[in-house]
Amino acid sequence: MCKLSEEQVTLYLGKLQQWKYENNSITKKFKHGDFKESIAFINAVADLAEKANHHPDLLIQYDQVTITLSTHDKHGVTGKDFSLAQEIDGVYRSAATGGILSY
């Protein structure tokens, strides 16, 4: 998979909510009710990452999780990053509506 140009990144970002492009990565902060919910979310993201064989950088700050995606061997953002970002957003939306995460 090829590294995307800044124009391509901007185009794809328009299809996601609240993801930002910075330092050759895309990043987003996810808010949760408490630390336990943050950990449940991280575990769901870990499952997605393992299935995709594409592993994000994760920062947990009590009730907030920051996820940063880039394709390290391409030194930037590729389609793999946007695909995983969409799946992560789906997990977050599902949790917000009483979906797959158990708290």
Side-chain angles (χ1 to χ4, degrees), residues 12-97:
Y12 284 114
L13 279 175
K15 299 176 182 187
L16 297 174
Q17 292 184 353
Q18 299 174 333
W19 286 85
K20 295 182 170 118
Y21 178 64
E22 50 191 29
N23 301 321
N24 290 316
S25 302
I26 58 172
T27 188
K28 182 175 179 177
K29 293 181 182 183
F30 296 85
K31 184 83 167 145
H32 301 279
D34 59 23
F35 183 73
K36 191 173 178 182
E37 288 180 12
S38 293
I39 295 300
F41 176 67
I42 286 294
N43 286 332
V45 169
D47 288 341
L48 293 175
E50 281 297 304
K51 287 178 188 168
N53 193 30
H54 190 56
H55 303 94
D57 294 331
L58 306 168
L59 175 63
I60 304 166
Q61 297 170 298
Y62 183 66
D63 63 349
Q64 182 173 280
V65 174
T66 303
I67 298 180
T68 303
L69 290 163
S70 68
T71 305
H72 300 290
D73 63 342
K74 299 297 181 183
H75 307 287
V77 178
T78 68
K80 285 177 81 169
D81 301 301
F82 282 100
S83 178
L84 187 54
Q86 287 177 321
E87 290 185 66
I88 291 168
D89 280 349
V91 165
Y92 186 73
R93 280 191 304 275
S94 178
T97 59

